[in-house]
Amino acid sequence: MTNMQLHRIKTISEYHRLMGLPKPEHPLISVINFESIKQLPHNESISLVFDFYSISLKRDFNARFKYGQQEYDFDEGIMFFIAPGQVFGVEIEEGSTLKHSGWMLHIHPDFLWNTPLAKTIRQCEFFDYSVHEALFLSDKEEKTIIGLMQNMEHEYHAAIDKFSQNIIIAQIELLLTYAERFYQRQFITRKITNHKILDRLEDTLNGYFDSDAVAKKGLPTVQYIAGELNVSPGYLSGLLKVLTGQSTQQHIHGKLIEKAKEKLSTTDLSVSEIAYELGFEHPQSFSKLFKTKTRVSPLEFRHSFN
């Protein structure tokens, strides 16, 4: 996307003004029906950064939506989790009228102040996934999420009392629990996409270990591998755990052991030379890891071929 104007939105009231919406009923939380947003500001392409959490469910959107490293269409329901400080962009064709449906929940961090959710929401992995991986919902799952958002909207539209915040917090926690369930389901049901990631993981690890990168830079980090695959570290490890039972780090170590066995069985390099080629500063660290993974030392493994 080009010529995107960046808008930093500090409060929920600012968002309402920017989108031409009425003043929010509550300054720290807002549920918005997308159909009430008829046009982007000045009919322009924009990039937005929120200083609050945003959870949205969108479909039938006639604009390009740039979210982290990907662009999405909206033939099916897609759910996004945006944490404070993350950037996303929207671009519509000049002269066209904005069309979309769905719901959006804004939660200012101050609303969560002094509640357990203030800490746990930051630990929800899908707020990390949000810059890389959206959540695709079935019709039944959409109805569940929309129902929870409407319950929150009803609660803050009603007379505020000492129970209101606790009730809304409980609804948010339930929504996040459902989201976790739906993400785990997505790991399993999106098999074609997931197995393509596995294939790319294998290619990425092979390319790294077959080059001189490992000798110069050491073992690849989880962050590096996730970046090469264009997913977040948390999403990649979660996906691999579901599909293979191993974390990203275990896959890296598995490839390392595979390359080490190859060198031990087909070359005359010493254990120390192999350790250095595989990025270890100290050969004893390599030998310790090799024995932990294989239950034999590098020399014992080599001798088994003689």
Side-chain angles (χ1 to χ4, degrees), residues 206-226:
N206 281 332
Y208 192 94
F209 279 97
D210 288 341
S211 70
D212 60 358
V214 67
K216 292 181 177 179
K217 302 177 182 178
L219 292 181
T221 64
V222 173
Q223 290 73 18
Y224 170 82
I225 296 298

Side-chain angles (χ1 to χ4, degrees), residues 61-285:
F61 191 33
N62 67 333
R64 297 169 65 199
F65 192 85
K66 181 67 180 289
Y67 194 66
Q69 304 302 314
Q70 299 185 37
E71 293 182 5
Y72 297 94
D73 59 48
F74 293 83
D75 294 332
E76 55 186 319
I78 296 181
M79 198 170 181
F80 295 97
F81 300 82
I82 302 174
Q86 292 179 341
V87 179
F88 66 96
V90 182
E91 183 178 6
I92 63 174
E93 292 185 10
E94 186 175 353
S96 64
T97 301
L98 184 66
K99 296 177 183 178
H100 54 177
S101 62
W103 294 80
M104 175 182 285
L105 170 64
H106 290 326
I107 311 162
H108 196 281
D110 288 352
F111 184 77
L112 309 177
W113 178 252
N114 207 29
T115 72
L117 188 56
K119 180 179 180 180
T120 57
I121 195 171
R122 295 196 300 268
Q123 298 171 348
C124 291
E125 291 184 331
F126 35 77
F127 280 106
D128 292 329
Y129 304 158
S130 63
V131 293
H132 295 292
E133 179 69 13
L135 173 58
F136 295 80
L137 300 185
S138 68
D139 289 342
K140 183 178 179 180
E141 291 167 349
E142 279 189 53
K143 290 178 182 178
T144 298
I145 296 300
I146 291 171
L148 289 169
M149 289 190 176
Q150 290 175 332
N151 287 343
M152 285 180 255
E153 182 183 34
H154 173 77
E155 185 60 35
Y156 71 69
H157 275 303
I160 300 295
D161 58 29
K162 65 179 182 179
F163 299 103
S164 300
Q165 184 184 22
N166 289 341
I167 291 173
I168 295 173
I169 291 290
Q171 295 288 316
I172 296 172
E173 290 175 330
L174 185 56
L175 186 152
L176 296 177
T177 300
Y178 272 114
E180 179 64 33
R181 168 188 276 182
F182 298 157
Y183 257 119
Q184 292 300 319
R185 181 268 307 154
Q186 180 164 295
F187 285 147
I188 297 170
T189 58
R190 295 183 68 203
K191 289 182 180 178
I192 295 177
T193 299
N194 292 340
H195 283 287
K196 284 182 179 178
I197 291 179
L198 282 178
D199 291 341
R200 290 170 56 210
L201 170 66
E202 186 72 11
D203 290 343
T204 300
L205 289 174
N206 281 332
Y208 192 94
F209 279 97
D210 288 341
S211 70
D212 60 358
V214 67
K216 292 181 177 179
K217 302 177 182 178
L219 292 181
T221 64
V222 173
Q223 290 73 18
Y224 170 82
I225 296 298
E228 289 295 298
L229 299 179
N230 199 29
V231 296
S232 71
Y235 183 86
L236 180 59
S237 284
L239 172 64
L240 293 176
K241 278 286 189 181
V242 170
L243 294 179
T244 69
Q246 292 188 319
S247 68
T248 310
Q249 189 67 61
Q250 287 173 313
H251 276 269
I252 293 171
H253 284 165
K255 184 58 64 176
L256 166 73
I257 297 302
E258 178 184 313
K259 293 298 180 181
K261 286 181 176 180
E262 179 183 311
K263 292 178 182 294
L264 286 166
S265 59
T266 62
T267 75
D268 293 325
L269 295 172
S270 68
V271 171
S272 293
E273 288 171 330
I274 292 173
Y276 293 133
E277 284 196 1
L278 293 176
F280 286 84
E281 293 184 8
H282 305 291
Q284 58 267 36
S285 298

